[in-house]
Every structure is written in structure tokens, then in C-alpha cells.
Amino acid sequence: MSYILLIISAIFVNNIVLAQFLGICPFLGVSKRVSTSLGMAGAVTFVMVIATIVTWMVQTYILVPFNITFLQTISFILIIAALVQMVEIVLKKVSPPLYQALGVFLPLITTNCTILGIAVMTISNGYNIVEGVVFSFATALGYGLAIVTFAGIREQMDLMNTPKGLKGAPISLITAGIMAMAFMGFAGMV
């Protein structure tokens, strides 16, 4: 039952983008098309889960035993950067159109504070490896839900007659704010 609560909480109640405001740059930048946002959500999910596993192991088996936990942030950033390079190489070979569609935002996963935030939250919340993987996967699903929903709304807004002063970033930020308020409705669930 605790895993179900962890999943619901990570996806809806404490959505990483809409409740904790981590990962806003890719959320706004990659969400112009649903197809691109799906690719970004997939890449973030893969990197987030693998990064959580690797960073948890590094924290548990290297940083804590050698009493060098002060290196947590820098070691986590290096691990995430290496994982993103792997994803970039794989995407370039497996799916060139997706690689082209993600463009500059794929390297931004390296500095996406969502991934680093989840790695740090996993450690600070005291999750074991299984709880950490469930938490990171559910958080990635929540990120994917938010970015794909936002992309769908933005695609529909492109078809509408938006006032000239609100076109582009202003209406996108207003929409993201409304989505954040809508997700606040889940707050009483967990």
C-alpha cells in the first residue's frame, strides 16, 4: 500500500513540475508538440530511473562509507552527465528524427534540475533502492503527464485566436499556472 501512495503522490500531488517547480526550462521549451514532449518524457524517464539507481549506489557504497558525503552534489551531476551522453548516443543511432526533434534540449537533461532533484530527494527521504526506483519512475510519469498534457494544450492554443499580446510565452505561462492550480486539487488525496 505504501508504494501505491508513493506513486500517486509523485504523479499527482507532488508533481515535480507543477507542484515543486523543478524542470521548468524543458517543460516550457520542449512542449510545443506532443510528439517531441513524448520523446523528452521518455528520455527523462530513462535517465531519471538509471540515475536514481546509480546515485543511490554511489551514495550508499562509496560516499557514506568513506565519509565523503560532501561530494554528493558534484558526483551526482557527473553521473547524470554521463548517463545523458549515453542516451544521446543511443538516440542518435536508434531514432534520428527524435534526436533532431529534441535538438538542444537533449543536452539540457544534463542540467535538468528534475533529475538531480529526484536523486537528492531519494537520499534525503531515506528511500531504499526499490522505493527510490518506484519514486523516480512515478515522478518521471508525473513529469511526462505534465509535459504531454501541456503540449496538447499548446497545440490546441495554436489553432485558436489568441489576443496578440498573449501569444507565445505569456499564454503558455498562464496555462502552466492554471495546470498547477488544477493539480493542487489532488492535494487532499494523500
XYZ file of all heavy atoms in Angstrom, residues 62-168:
808
model
N 29.825 4.245 -1.545
C 31.085 4.991 -1.671
C 31.105 6.221 -0.760
O 31.992 6.357 0.090
C 31.356 5.398 -3.135
C 31.516 4.153 -4.010
C 32.596 6.284 -3.230
C 31.604 4.439 -5.496
N 30.132 7.105 -0.934
C 30.174 8.378 -0.216
C 30.000 8.230 1.298
O 30.753 8.826 2.069
C 29.117 9.345 -0.769
C 29.259 9.723 -2.248
C 28.138 10.659 -2.667
C 30.605 10.343 -2.531
N 29.033 7.429 1.718
C 28.793 7.261 3.158
C 29.905 6.450 3.825
O 30.445 6.883 4.849
C 27.396 6.653 3.424
C 27.223 6.265 4.868
C 26.305 7.632 3.000
N 30.304 5.281 3.295
C 31.364 4.519 3.976
C 32.693 5.264 4.094
O 33.399 5.108 5.077
C 31.533 3.269 3.105
C 30.247 3.115 2.392
C 29.742 4.509 2.171
N 33.025 6.067 3.082
C 34.283 6.804 3.127
C 34.132 8.199 3.735
O 35.073 8.991 3.709
C 34.901 6.898 1.732
C 35.380 5.574 1.205
C 34.683 4.917 0.201
C 36.509 4.964 1.736
C 35.119 3.700 -0.281
C 36.947 3.743 1.261
C 36.246 3.098 0.251
N 32.941 8.482 4.237
C 32.644 9.751 4.900
C 32.975 10.954 4.015
O 33.585 11.936 4.453
C 33.376 9.844 6.247
C 32.770 10.914 7.132
O 31.606 11.282 6.974
N 33.560 11.424 8.061
N 32.563 10.859 2.752
C 32.785 11.957 1.810
C 31.449 12.409 1.199
O 31.362 12.707 0.011
C 33.801 11.573 0.714
C 33.398 10.273 0.023
C 35.205 11.506 1.254
C 34.254 9.912 -1.189
N 30.439 12.471 2.032
C 29.116 12.858 1.544
C 29.061 14.299 1.056
O 28.123 14.671 0.359
C 28.046 12.644 2.636
O 28.439 13.345 3.812
C 27.856 11.178 2.941
N 30.064 15.092 1.393
C 30.120 16.467 0.897
C 30.317 16.499 -0.618
O 30.112 17.529 -1.253
C 31.224 17.273 1.600
C 32.599 16.703 1.438
C 33.399 17.087 0.377
C 33.099 15.785 2.358
C 34.678 16.575 0.225
C 34.372 15.261 2.214
C 35.165 15.649 1.145
N 30.704 15.380 -1.223
C 30.877 15.283 -2.673
C 29.599 14.824 -3.389
O 29.627 14.563 -4.590
C 32.017 14.317 -3.004
C 33.411 14.761 -2.597
C 34.423 13.664 -2.869
C 33.786 16.036 -3.334
N 28.503 14.750 -2.643
C 27.258 14.224 -3.208
C 26.818 14.989 -4.451
O 26.587 14.386 -5.502
C 26.147 14.262 -2.157
C 24.822 13.735 -2.668
C 23.710 13.952 -1.682
O 23.481 15.079 -1.256
N 23.018 12.882 -1.317
N 26.721 16.277 -4.369
C 26.192 17.062 -5.487
C 27.067 16.935 -6.726
O 26.560 16.665 -7.822
C 26.061 18.546 -5.087
O 25.231 18.636 -3.925
C 25.455 19.359 -6.212
N 28.343 17.106 -6.590
C 29.229 17.041 -7.752
C 29.274 15.635 -8.346
O 29.267 15.475 -9.568
C 30.656 17.565 -7.430
C 31.483 17.749 -8.701
C 31.384 16.667 -6.483
C 31.029 18.889 -9.551
N 29.271 14.615 -7.505
C 29.288 13.249 -8.040
C 27.970 12.921 -8.737
O 27.964 12.283 -9.789
C 29.590 12.234 -6.940
O 28.599 12.257 -5.941
N 26.854 13.385 -8.184
C 25.566 13.145 -8.823
C 25.487 13.849 -10.181
O 24.980 13.294 -11.149
C 24.418 13.605 -7.926
C 24.129 12.693 -6.761
C 24.992 11.666 -6.394
C 22.987 12.868 -6.017
C 24.727 10.845 -5.316
C 22.692 12.049 -4.934
C 23.563 11.031 -4.589
N 26.000 15.066 -10.254
C 25.985 15.805 -11.526
C 26.826 15.078 -12.571
O 26.423 14.950 -13.737
C 26.478 17.255 -11.317
C 25.430 18.050 -10.548
C 26.797 17.927 -12.646
C 25.888 19.417 -10.092
N 27.989 14.587 -12.179
C 28.847 13.858 -13.126
C 28.183 12.567 -13.600
O 28.261 12.222 -14.789
C 30.200 13.561 -12.488
C 31.086 14.778 -12.234
C 32.318 14.387 -11.432
C 31.474 15.436 -13.546
N 27.526 11.865 -12.703
C 26.828 10.632 -13.071
C 25.703 10.937 -14.061
O 25.552 10.254 -15.086
C 26.275 9.924 -11.808
C 27.421 9.358 -10.981
C 25.272 8.835 -12.175
C 27.025 8.953 -9.578
N 24.927 11.956 -13.783
C 23.819 12.328 -14.661
C 24.343 12.759 -16.028
O 23.783 12.386 -17.066
C 22.955 13.425 -14.007
C 22.225 12.841 -12.796
C 21.967 14.016 -15.005
C 21.602 13.872 -11.879
N 25.415 13.522 -16.060
C 26.000 13.964 -17.327
C 26.445 12.769 -18.166
O 26.217 12.728 -19.385
C 27.169 14.900 -17.074
N 27.063 11.788 -17.533
C 27.497 10.591 -18.262
C 26.302 9.809 -18.802
O 26.324 9.330 -19.947
C 28.334 9.699 -17.348
N 25.259 9.691 -18.015
C 24.064 8.980 -18.471
C 23.388 9.691 -19.638
O 22.920 9.049 -20.581
C 23.078 8.805 -17.317
C 23.499 7.828 -16.234
C 22.550 7.899 -15.046
C 23.555 6.415 -16.779
N 23.347 11.005 -19.602
C 22.745 11.761 -20.695
C 23.554 11.579 -21.970
O 22.986 11.463 -23.063
C 22.611 13.254 -20.325
C 22.235 14.091 -21.527
C 21.581 13.417 -19.226
N 24.864 11.537 -21.857
C 25.691 11.295 -23.041
C 25.373 9.938 -23.661
O 25.302 9.799 -24.879
C 27.182 11.378 -22.680
C 27.658 12.770 -22.400
C 27.459 13.698 -23.576
O 27.694 13.342 -24.720
N 26.996 14.902 -23.296
N 25.155 8.939 -22.792
C 24.775 7.610 -23.296
C 23.437 7.674 -24.026
O 23.287 7.112 -25.110
C 24.688 6.600 -22.152
C 26.013 6.120 -21.657
S 25.937 4.841 -20.362
C 24.234 4.498 -20.107
N 22.448 8.347 -23.446
C 21.130 8.465 -24.076
C 21.235 9.189 -25.410
O 20.620 8.797 -26.400
C 20.134 9.185 -23.135
C 18.852 9.563 -23.852
C 19.818 8.320 -21.937
N 22.045 10.232 -25.444
C 22.221 10.990 -26.679
C 22.818 10.127 -27.784
O 22.354 10.149 -28.929
C 23.106 12.204 -26.411
C 23.130 13.191 -27.533
C 23.826 14.492 -27.156
O 24.278 14.639 -26.007
O 23.905 15.359 -28.028
N 23.818 9.332 -27.460
C 24.439 8.454 -28.440
C 23.445 7.413 -28.939
O 23.346 7.150 -30.144
C 25.698 7.781 -27.835
C 26.796 8.827 -27.640
C 26.187 6.644 -28.713
C 27.960 8.365 -26.785
N 22.677 6.824 -28.020
C 21.698 5.804 -28.399
C 20.594 6.413 -29.272
O 20.220 5.835 -30.294
C 21.114 5.116 -27.139
C 19.908 4.270 -27.477
C 22.173 4.283 -26.456
N 20.067 7.570 -28.874
C 19.007 8.210 -29.660
C 19.492 8.590 -31.053
O 18.729 8.494 -32.013
C 18.484 9.456 -28.949
C 17.366 9.262 -27.953
C 16.950 10.599 -27.357
C 16.172 8.576 -28.559
N 20.721 9.037 -31.159
C 21.265 9.438 -32.454
C 21.292 8.248 -33.416
O 21.030 8.398 -34.598
C 22.670 10.008 -32.267
C 23.184 10.782 -33.440
C 24.487 11.469 -33.084
C 24.909 12.427 -34.162
N 26.136 13.129 -33.813
N 21.571 7.041 -32.879
C 21.640 5.851 -33.720
C 20.278 5.203 -33.919
O 19.963 4.754 -35.010
C 22.610 4.846 -33.126
C 24.041 5.298 -33.205
C 25.002 4.230 -32.771
C 26.390 4.804 -32.773
N 27.320 4.058 -33.560
N 19.464 5.157 -32.872
C 18.196 4.432 -32.920
C 17.082 5.260 -33.556
O 16.307 4.753 -34.361
C 17.779 3.972 -31.498
C 16.393 3.380 -31.478
C 18.786 2.972 -30.966
N 16.974 6.535 -33.190
C 15.874 7.381 -33.664
C 16.378 8.774 -34.051
O 16.201 9.739 -33.299
C 14.803 7.476 -32.577
O 13.737 8.272 -33.003
N 16.986 8.901 -35.230
C 17.472 10.219 -35.660
C 16.395 11.304 -35.704
O 16.679 12.444 -35.343
C 18.057 9.950 -37.051
C 18.413 8.505 -37.033
C 17.369 7.846 -36.170
N 15.150 10.999 -36.118
C 14.138 12.070 -36.102
C 13.858 12.599 -34.691
O 13.715 13.802 -34.489
C 12.878 11.410 -36.679
C 13.367 10.236 -37.450
C 14.613 9.794 -36.768
N 13.790 11.699 -33.723
C 13.576 12.124 -32.344
C 14.787 12.903 -31.845
O 14.640 13.913 -31.150
C 13.301 10.923 -31.442
C 13.053 11.231 -29.971
C 11.880 12.174 -29.788
C 12.826 9.945 -29.194
N 15.968 12.460 -32.217
C 17.192 13.166 -31.837
C 17.172 14.586 -32.398
O 17.506 15.542 -31.707
C 18.412 12.398 -32.351
C 19.720 13.091 -32.099
C 20.300 13.069 -30.832
C 20.384 13.781 -33.111
C 21.512 13.714 -30.589
C 21.579 14.421 -32.874
C 22.138 14.382 -31.621
O 23.323 15.029 -31.388
N 16.757 14.745 -33.656
C 16.669 16.072 -34.270
C 15.569 16.911 -33.625
O 15.734 18.112 -33.426
C 16.400 15.944 -35.780
C 17.571 15.399 -36.557
C 18.771 16.326 -36.532
O 18.645 17.536 -36.430
N 19.959 15.758 -36.599
N 14.442 16.263 -33.297
C 13.316 16.989 -32.707
C 13.672 17.533 -31.319
O 13.275 18.633 -30.953
C 12.089 16.088 -32.622
N 14.409 16.750 -30.549
C 14.792 17.202 -29.213
C 15.840 18.292 -29.271
O 15.902 19.164 -28.399
C 15.279 16.028 -28.373
C 14.213 15.027 -27.965
C 14.836 13.847 -27.252
C 13.163 15.664 -27.096
N 16.675 18.237 -30.308
C 17.650 19.293 -30.535
C 18.488 19.630 -29.316
O 19.089 18.768 -28.683
N 18.509 20.907 -28.969
C 19.336 21.414 -27.884
C 18.821 20.967 -26.519
O 19.545 21.005 -25.532
C 19.440 22.949 -27.965
C 18.133 23.600 -27.567
C 20.578 23.466 -27.109
N 17.573 20.510 -26.452
C 17.004 20.158 -25.154
C 17.498 18.820 -24.631
O 17.400 18.551 -23.441
C 15.481 20.189 -25.211
C 14.963 21.566 -25.431
C 14.523 21.980 -26.668
C 14.974 22.486 -24.395
C 14.068 23.266 -26.867
C 14.525 23.778 -24.587
C 14.076 24.171 -25.824
N 18.029 17.970 -25.504
C 18.593 16.706 -25.023
C 19.799 16.939 -24.114
O 19.850 16.392 -23.016
C 18.940 15.792 -26.190
C 19.318 14.369 -25.825
C 18.190 13.700 -25.046
C 19.617 13.570 -27.065
N 20.757 17.758 -24.516
C 21.840 18.053 -23.571
C 21.358 18.780 -22.317
O 21.988 18.704 -21.271
C 22.798 18.939 -24.371
C 22.500 18.650 -25.793
C 21.038 18.300 -25.850
N 20.218 19.466 -22.407
C 19.684 20.152 -21.234
C 19.238 19.179 -20.146
O 19.081 19.590 -19.000
C 18.514 21.057 -21.623
C 18.882 22.398 -22.213
C 17.629 23.190 -22.563
C 19.758 23.196 -21.280
N 19.021 17.908 -20.515
C 18.675 16.923 -19.490
C 19.809 16.843 -18.473
O 19.585 16.587 -17.297
C 18.386 15.535 -20.107
C 17.135 15.590 -20.979
C 18.182 14.490 -19.022
C 16.828 14.301 -21.699
N 21.023 17.086 -18.932
C 22.172 17.067 -18.029
C 21.985 18.063 -16.896
O 22.270 17.762 -15.741
C 23.466 17.411 -18.801
O 23.605 16.498 -19.873
C 24.669 17.314 -17.905
N 21.500 19.238 -17.233
C 21.305 20.269 -16.218
C 19.856 20.364 -15.766
O 19.499 21.307 -15.074
C 21.764 21.636 -16.762
O 21.009 21.939 -17.936
C 23.245 21.634 -17.045
N 19.042 19.396 -16.163
C 17.644 19.400 -15.737
C 17.599 19.135 -14.238
O 17.960 18.060 -13.763
C 16.869 18.327 -16.499
C 15.385 18.393 -16.275
O 14.910 18.995 -15.308
N 14.641 17.775 -17.162
N 17.175 20.125 -13.516
C 17.175 20.011 -12.059
C 16.196 18.951 -11.562
O 16.279 18.518 -10.417
C 16.894 21.361 -11.419
S 15.388 22.135 -11.994
N 15.298 18.491 -12.423
C 14.376 17.421 -12.041
C 15.154 16.154 -11.714
O 14.907 15.506 -10.698
C 13.391 17.140 -13.190
O 12.715 18.334 -13.526
C 12.404 16.079 -12.821
N 16.081 15.798 -12.546
C 16.818 14.550 -12.365
C 17.725 14.628 -11.142
O 17.738 13.721 -10.305
C 17.606 14.205 -13.646
C 16.606 13.964 -14.781
C 18.490 12.987 -13.432
C 17.186 13.837 -16.135
N 18.456 15.715 -11.020
C 19.294 15.892 -9.829
C 18.429 15.982 -8.578
O 18.765 15.408 -7.537
C 20.168 17.140 -9.966
C 21.074 17.460 -8.779
C 22.071 16.326 -8.535
C 21.793 18.770 -9.004
N 17.309 16.677 -8.674
C 16.406 16.813 -7.532
C 15.884 15.478 -7.043
O 15.836 15.217 -5.833
N 15.506 14.607 -7.957
C 14.990 13.290 -7.561
C 16.100 12.443 -6.960
O 15.878 11.718 -5.981
C 14.326 12.585 -8.763
C 13.078 13.348 -9.181
C 13.983 11.137 -8.444
C 12.096 13.619 -8.054
N 17.293 12.520 -7.514
C 18.411 11.763 -6.939
C 18.680 12.211 -5.506
O 18.869 11.385 -4.602
C 19.661 11.944 -7.802
N 18.660 13.511 -5.274
C 18.896 14.037 -3.924
C 17.722 13.730 -3.005
O 17.905 13.352 -1.839
C 19.189 15.559 -3.984
C 19.231 16.170 -2.600
C 20.499 15.814 -4.718
N 16.489 13.863 -3.515
C 15.305 13.566 -2.695
C 15.251 12.099 -2.280
O 14.805 11.786 -1.177
C 14.022 13.921 -3.446
C 13.697 15.373 -3.481
S 12.107 15.585 -4.313
C 12.411 17.086 -5.185
N 15.680 11.223 -3.167
C 15.702 9.797 -2.837
C 16.592 9.548 -1.634
O 16.231 8.797 -0.722
C 16.192 8.970 -4.046
O 15.284 9.182 -5.135
C 16.254 7.494 -3.733
N 17.742 10.186 -1.611
C 18.672 10.032 -0.493
C 18.130 10.723 0.752
O 18.109 10.153 1.847
C 20.064 10.608 -0.860
C 20.660 9.900 -2.078
C 21.014 10.535 0.329
C 20.815 8.407 -1.975
N 17.673 11.966 0.602
C 17.227 12.728 1.777
C 15.953 12.163 2.397
O 15.742 12.300 3.603
C 17.035 14.202 1.431
O 15.986 14.358 0.510
N 15.107 11.511 1.606
C 13.905 10.879 2.149
C 14.194 9.506 2.753
O 13.300 8.884 3.313
C 12.821 10.747 1.082
C 12.232 12.077 0.679
O 12.323 13.055 1.407
N 11.624 12.121 -0.491
N 15.411 9.023 2.609
C 15.803 7.747 3.195
C 15.218 6.537 2.491
O 15.039 5.478 3.102
N 14.937 6.653 1.190
C 14.370 5.532 0.457
C 15.423 4.455 0.227
O 16.595 4.759 0.004
C 13.837 5.975 -0.900
C 12.634 6.890 -0.833
C 12.468 7.899 -1.759
C 11.661 6.745 0.150
C 11.365 8.740 -1.718
C 10.562 7.577 0.209
C 10.413 8.566 -0.731
O 9.327 9.389 -0.692
N 14.995 3.200 0.277
C 15.885 2.118 -0.138
C 15.881 2.079 -1.666
O 15.202 2.871 -2.313
C 15.473 0.779 0.502
C 14.085 0.332 0.089
O 13.644 0.559 -1.031
N 13.386 -0.305 1.009
N 16.598 1.145 -2.244
C 16.754 1.129 -3.703
C 15.424 0.906 -4.422
O 15.134 1.547 -5.427
C 17.827 0.102 -4.142
C 18.135 0.223 -5.642
C 17.392 -1.310 -3.821
C 18.947 1.411 -6.000
N 14.573 0.029 -3.893
C 13.281 -0.243 -4.530
C 12.365 0.969 -4.429
O 11.752 1.388 -5.419
C 12.614 -1.493 -3.912
C 11.229 -1.724 -4.492
C 13.487 -2.720 -4.104
N 12.290 1.560 -3.242
C 11.476 2.765 -3.073
C 11.999 3.903 -3.947
O 11.211 4.661 -4.528
C 11.465 3.202 -1.611
C 10.716 2.275 -0.695
C 10.940 2.586 0.780
O 11.992 3.168 1.124
O 10.064 2.217 1.579
N 13.306 3.999 -4.063
C 13.905 5.031 -4.902
C 13.542 4.863 -6.368
O 13.232 5.833 -7.059
N 13.578 3.623 -6.844
C 13.226 3.355 -8.244
C 11.741 3.645 -8.473
O 11.368 4.266 -9.471
C 13.591 1.912 -8.638
C 12.987 1.527 -9.971
C 15.098 1.748 -8.676
N 10.890 3.199 -7.559
C 9.449 3.467 -7.684
C 9.198 4.969 -7.663
O 8.433 5.497 -8.486
C 8.658 2.749 -6.560
C 7.220 3.220 -6.499
C 8.720 1.242 -6.745
N 9.841 5.665 -6.737
C 9.685 7.120 -6.618
C 10.156 7.825 -7.890
O 9.468 8.699 -8.420
C 10.452 7.619 -5.397
C 10.453 9.107 -5.228
C 9.285 9.802 -4.964
C 11.640 9.826 -5.308
C 9.282 11.176 -4.797
C 11.649 11.199 -5.138
C 10.470 11.878 -4.886
N 11.314 7.446 -8.400
C 11.836 8.112 -9.594
C 10.985 7.809 -10.821
O 10.729 8.696 -11.638
C 13.302 7.741 -9.830
O 13.422 6.379 -10.136
N 10.521 6.569 -10.949
C 9.688 6.212 -12.092
C 8.348 6.946 -12.027
O 7.871 7.490 -13.030
C 9.470 4.699 -12.160
C 8.711 4.258 -13.374
C 9.310 4.280 -14.624
C 7.398 3.840 -13.275
C 8.616 3.895 -15.760
C 6.688 3.445 -14.398
C 7.298 3.465 -15.647
N 7.732 6.982 -10.847
C 6.461 7.686 -10.692
C 6.632 9.184 -10.923
O 5.772 9.828 -11.544
C 5.879 7.423 -9.305
N 7.731 9.740 -10.456
C 7.995 11.160 -10.692
C 8.179 11.427 -12.172
O 7.681 12.435 -12.697
C 9.241 11.612 -9.907
O 9.007 11.388 -8.516
C 9.538 13.076 -10.133
N 8.869 10.526 -12.864
C 9.046 10.669 -14.309
C 7.701 10.563 -15.032
O 7.458 11.286 -16.007
C 10.021 9.618 -14.826
N 6.830 9.688 -14.560
C 5.485 9.601 -15.147
C 4.726 10.908 -14.925
O 4.031 11.385 -15.827
C 4.702 8.435 -14.545
C 5.114 7.035 -14.969
C 4.257 5.991 -14.257
C 5.023 6.871 -16.470
N 4.855 11.473 -13.736
C 4.218 12.756 -13.454
C 4.772 13.859 -14.338
O 4.026 14.706 -14.847
N 6.086 13.848 -14.540
C 6.723 14.811 -15.441
C 6.182 14.623 -16.854
O 5.831 15.594 -17.529
C 8.236 14.612 -15.417
C 8.995 15.528 -16.339
C 9.354 16.804 -15.933
C 9.359 15.124 -17.618
C 10.047 17.657 -16.777
C 10.042 15.970 -18.468
C 10.390 17.230 -18.049
O 11.064 18.071 -18.892
N 6.117 13.365 -17.295
C 5.598 13.067 -18.628
C 4.146 13.491 -18.779
O 3.752 14.060 -19.803
N 3.333 13.199 -17.770
C 1.926 13.608 -17.798
C 1.806 15.119 -17.941
O 1.032 15.624 -18.762
C 1.217 13.142 -16.522
C -0.222 13.612 -16.335
C -1.138 12.952 -17.356
C -0.684 13.328 -14.923
N 2.579 15.841 -17.169
C 2.514 17.301 -17.203
C 2.968 17.852 -18.550
O 2.293 18.701 -19.138
C 3.361 17.887 -16.076
N 4.093 17.371 -19.069
C 4.635 17.942 -20.301
C 3.797 17.566 -21.520
O 3.578 18.379 -22.415
C 6.134 17.579 -20.477
C 6.775 18.484 -21.525
C 6.318 16.121 -20.836
C 8.273 18.382 -21.605
N 3.272 16.330 -21.552
C 2.448 15.915 -22.688
C 1.099 16.634 -22.663
O 0.602 17.084 -23.697
C 2.290 14.378 -22.713
C 1.254 13.942 -23.724
C 3.630 13.718 -23.021
N 0.505 16.751 -21.487
C -0.759 17.487 -21.371
C -0.569 18.940 -21.780
O -1.378 19.504 -22.533
C -1.287 17.411 -19.919
O -1.425 16.043 -19.550
C -2.617 18.119 -19.783
N 0.505 19.535 -21.306
C 0.798 20.926 -21.646
C 1.031 21.077 -23.149
O 0.576 22.047 -23.755
C 2.013 21.394 -20.842
C 2.301 22.857 -20.932
C 1.347 23.798 -20.562
C 3.535 23.309 -21.358
C 1.617 25.165 -20.627
C 3.817 24.658 -21.436
C 2.856 25.591 -21.066
N 1.718 20.123 -23.758
C 1.964 20.174 -25.203
C 0.655 20.068 -25.979
O 0.452 20.774 -26.973
C 2.921 19.060 -25.616
N -0.238 19.198 -25.523
C -1.530 19.077 -26.176
C -2.330 20.368 -26.090
O -2.965 20.794 -27.068
N -2.301 20.995 -24.940
C -2.999 22.272 -24.769
C -2.380 23.339 -25.663
O -3.084 24.127 -26.310
C -2.984 22.706 -23.286
C -3.825 21.746 -22.448
C -3.483 24.140 -23.134
C -3.684 21.936 -20.949
N -1.045 23.353 -25.735
C -0.374 24.365 -26.571
C -0.676 24.147 -28.051
O -0.820 25.107 -28.810
C 1.130 24.343 -26.330
C 1.497 24.988 -25.010
C 2.974 25.022 -24.782
N 3.608 26.072 -25.587
C 4.901 26.344 -25.539
N 5.690 25.647 -24.735
N 5.412 27.289 -26.276
N -0.770 22.888 -28.476
C -1.129 22.622 -29.873
C -2.530 23.146 -30.169
O -2.780 23.698 -31.241
C -1.034 21.127 -30.186
C 0.365 20.644 -30.412
C 0.430 19.185 -30.851
O -0.637 18.533 -30.975
O 1.553 18.702 -31.073
N -3.451 22.949 -29.233
C -4.812 23.457 -29.414
C -4.836 24.987 -29.402
O -5.593 25.607 -30.146
C -5.742 22.911 -28.325
C -6.055 21.438 -28.494
C -6.776 21.162 -29.799
O -7.713 21.852 -30.165
N -6.310 20.158 -30.526
N -4.004 25.591 -28.548
C -3.968 27.055 -28.479
C -3.443 27.664 -29.775
O -3.810 28.790 -30.117
C -3.121 27.519 -27.292
C -3.825 27.374 -25.976
S -2.998 28.177 -24.593
C -1.320 27.637 -24.722
N -2.571 26.934 -30.490
C -2.071 27.440 -31.764
C -3.196 27.567 -32.784
O -3.107 28.370 -33.716
C -0.973 26.526 -32.312
C 0.331 26.651 -31.561
O 0.499 27.634 -30.805
O 1.187 25.750 -31.712
N -4.243 26.773 -32.631
C -5.374 26.802 -33.555
C -6.414 27.860 -33.185
O -7.308 28.148 -33.956
C -6.048 25.423 -33.603
C -5.148 24.249 -33.999
C -5.894 22.935 -33.859
C -4.617 24.440 -35.414
N -6.285 28.410 -31.998
C -7.267 29.379 -31.501
C -6.828 30.802 -31.825
O -5.654 31.055 -32.115
C -7.449 29.210 -29.998
C -7.978 27.847 -29.621
S -8.125 27.638 -27.869
C -9.513 28.687 -27.547
N -7.769 31.698 -31.736
C -7.495 33.114 -31.973
C -7.103 33.762 -30.648
O -7.934 34.286 -29.930
C -8.730 33.786 -32.578
C -8.435 35.191 -33.041
O -7.279 35.587 -33.138
N -9.476 35.940 -33.318
N -5.827 33.685 -30.319
C -5.308 34.254 -29.073
C -5.014 35.739 -29.286
O -4.474 36.112 -30.331
C -4.011 33.524 -28.669
O -4.255 32.134 -28.647
C -3.517 33.964 -27.315
N -5.353 36.576 -28.323
C -5.014 38.007 -28.463
C -3.518 38.205 -28.698
O -2.688 37.474 -28.146
C -5.435 38.600 -27.119
C -6.479 37.665 -26.590
C -6.091 36.303 -27.096
N -3.188 39.177 -29.507
C -1.802 39.412 -29.923
C -0.838 39.561 -28.744
O 0.265 39.032 -28.767
C -1.739 40.647 -30.817
C -0.409 40.850 -31.476
C -0.460 42.027 -32.438
C 0.864 42.171 -33.146
N 0.836 43.279 -34.101
N -1.245 40.247 -27.692
C -0.380 40.474 -26.536
C -0.141 39.230 -25.695
O 0.770 39.201 -24.872
N -0.952 38.191 -25.890
C -0.809 36.967 -25.103
C -0.162 35.819 -25.867
O 0.105 34.772 -25.284
C -2.179 36.504 -24.579
C -2.814 37.364 -23.505
C -4.199 36.840 -23.166
C -1.947 37.402 -22.266
N 0.084 35.992 -27.151
C 0.657 34.904 -27.949
C 2.046 34.531 -27.453
O 2.797 35.364 -26.992
C 0.725 35.288 -29.423
C -0.624 35.270 -30.070
C -0.522 35.397 -31.560
C -1.933 35.414 -32.089
N -2.062 34.882 -33.375
N 2.354 33.247 -27.559
C 3.681 32.760 -27.185
C 3.833 32.499 -25.704
O 3.031 31.815 -25.076
